[in-house]
Amino acid sequence: MSWGDGRPIAARQPLEAVQGLAMRAGLRKDRVMPSASRFSLSGLTAVRAQVSRVHLARCGAALAGLGLFFAPLPSADAFGPPPRPLVEQSAQAKLLGEFERFATLSDGTVGIAVRDLQTGETQAINGDPLFPMASAYKVAVAGRIFALIDAGDVRLDDQLALDPALASEGGIAWMFSRPGASLSVQRLLELMLQKSDNNATDVLVARAGGPAAITHFVKGLGVDGLRVDSDTAHLLYRAMGIHPLSGRFRQNADAARRADPMLVTRDLRDLPNLAFATEIEDTSTPRAMLDLLTAYESGKALSADSTQRLFTIMAHCETGKGRIIGMLPPGTAVAHKTGSLNGTGNDVGVVRLPDGRRFAVVAFVMKDSKGHKSRDRIIAEAARAAYDYFLYAPERAHGPAQKT
């Protein structure tokens, strides 16, 4: 059998193959190939030409499509500011979701606010409602005292008299009965911020000019939503629901407890005083307390020396070991101040990350009847979630931040 008979290769293809080619090209079989007897080289050539035209048309459409595919896309400006990267959005959503989840551990109300102190990025849940500050208000007292030091009106080594009228109970209350007893401003600040001593605090409140002067100092920094209305003794009076006009604190408190045994029960069981928790006196929003910490840390409120001294004292806080610092990596530097009262648990402070960046955290819990362990855990979990967020979230250290 000879492999070359002189005809073109296409003319030697079986009829079925040519018909299949025509069908794939979209031609009707009965029009292209009426019958095998009518097949000829000229007819086959016509079929091939028609198939070629169909293929060229389809190739042209494909090339047009490719032209659209490779055409330059509209610039980002055509659609407004670019959205935040999805990874960053999901990180923020996860953080706030974690805060909400921690809040369910309480049967009261939880407010959490955190801020990157380099970029100002702020994340919060319940950041604007008012919460009782309890002893967290002592952060504002300390700021006012250091402002007086910066103005030259007070010195750290000044000795302040321990007036028996200012004694409450616990802590250094026993010292107030000693004639001529006094302590330095430095030591009183340490007792107030590190041990949360109420007696030392009220000596400093008096030297600061009273609650109104402290509130004025805070508002002067542009902080709205934080107010100091009482010294610690009178704050505790309100928490007990009594309003004595005279007498020493211990005498008045003991008389109130004898008259209303529920006060003792409430203290022992750490139950909330719901009426007290709804009062506006001596309250702060989480954002306002965050603003106060920011004013301190930025150097806006105090001199560099006073700022350093304030945070150094707060870094040795002895209360609230299970709160902000409770779940942070060992050795993490934290300057903070706690607050505790019936059904209330607070902690506010500044945390340093391993790379030197810092963030502020405020966690308030009120109207809670589940106990201090539950409140401590909420605060510890929130602080750790914020720590991980600011440390690991994409572009947090070097990229542009989104403020909320």
Side-chain angles (χ1 to χ4, degrees), residues 132 134 235-236 239 270-271 276 339-345 375:
L235 186 154
L236 294 174
D270 194 13
L271 298 175
F276 170 76
S340 303
L341 201 52
N342 302 117
T344 297
R375 295 192 288 270

Side-chain angles (χ1 to χ4, degrees), residues 197-209:
D197 190 285
N198 295 334
N199 310 278
T201 300
D202 286 353
V203 174
L204 290 173
V205 169
R207 183 62 187 88

Side-chain angles (χ1 to χ4, degrees), residues 326-343:
M327 294 184 180
L328 297 180
T332 300
V334 181
H336 68 118
K337 179 69 192 80
T338 60
S340 303
L341 201 52
N342 302 117

Side-chain angles (χ1 to χ4, degrees), residues 156-357:
L156 285 170
D157 58 1
D158 283 351
Q159 295 289 315
L160 300 185
L162 303 185
D163 183 350
L166 297 174
S168 51
E169 58 185 356
I172 63 168
W174 62 272
M175 295 182 63
F176 285 69
S177 61
R178 297 167 55 182
S182 67
L183 287 173
S184 69
V185 170
Q186 173 74 31
R187 183 56 183 152
L188 290 167
L189 285 166
E190 292 169 351
L191 288 167
M192 176 177 72
L193 294 174
Q194 295 172 357
K195 297 181 179 295
S196 203
D197 190 285
N198 295 334
N199 310 278
T201 300
D202 286 353
V203 174
L204 290 173
V205 169
R207 183 62 187 88
I214 298 168
T215 299
H216 181 75
F217 160 74
V218 170
K219 289 188 177 297
L221 299 175
V223 176
D224 292 320
L226 188 158
R227 54 183 290 170
V228 178
D229 298 275
S230 315
D231 61 10
T232 314
H234 289 83
L235 186 154
L236 294 174
Y237 283 154
R238 288 194 300 102
M240 289 187 285
I242 62 175
H243 303 279
L245 300 177
S246 62
R248 302 287 175 86
F249 179 88
R250 185 60 181 270
Q251 296 170 338
N252 293 329
D254 286 346
R257 291 169 183 140
R258 287 192 298 270
D260 184 2
M262 183 57 193
L263 295 178
V264 178
T265 301
R266 193 163 60 201
D267 287 343
L268 291 176
R269 297 178 58 188
D270 194 13
L271 298 175
N273 179 342
L274 298 180
F276 170 76
T278 59
E279 295 178 357
I280 64 172
E281 289 84 5
D282 299 299
T283 57
S284 175
T285 68
R287 287 185 188 273
M289 182 61 77
L290 202 63
D291 290 342
L292 182 60
L293 292 173
T294 302
Y296 290 161
E297 200 277 339
S298 67
K300 174 184 176 182
L302 306 169
S303 67
D305 183 64
S306 289
T307 299
Q308 180 64 33
R309 288 179 183 275
L310 171 61
F311 283 120
T312 298
I313 295 173
M314 291 175 63
H316 292 87
C317 180
E318 299 177 17
T319 60
K321 297 298 185 183
R323 297 187 187 179
I324 287 178
I325 66 175
M327 294 184 180
L328 297 180
T332 300
V334 181
H336 68 118
K337 179 69 192 80
T338 60
S340 303
L341 201 52
N342 302 117
T344 297
N346 303 330
D347 205 359
V348 307
V350 174
V351 179
R352 183 182 295 273
L353 297 169
D355 59 9
R357 290 179 297 125

Side-chain angles (χ1 to χ4, degrees), residues 38-83:
R38 296 177 60 185
F39 180 80
S40 67
L41 179 60
S42 60
L44 180 62
T45 302
V47 169
R48 295 180 62 204
Q50 187 168 355
V51 170
S52 297
R53 286 194 296 273
V54 171
H55 277 293
L56 285 173
R58 291 190 172 183
C59 288
L63 288 173
L66 287 173
L68 289 175
F69 180 80
F70 288 110
L73 293 174
S75 66
D77 292 341
F79 302 101

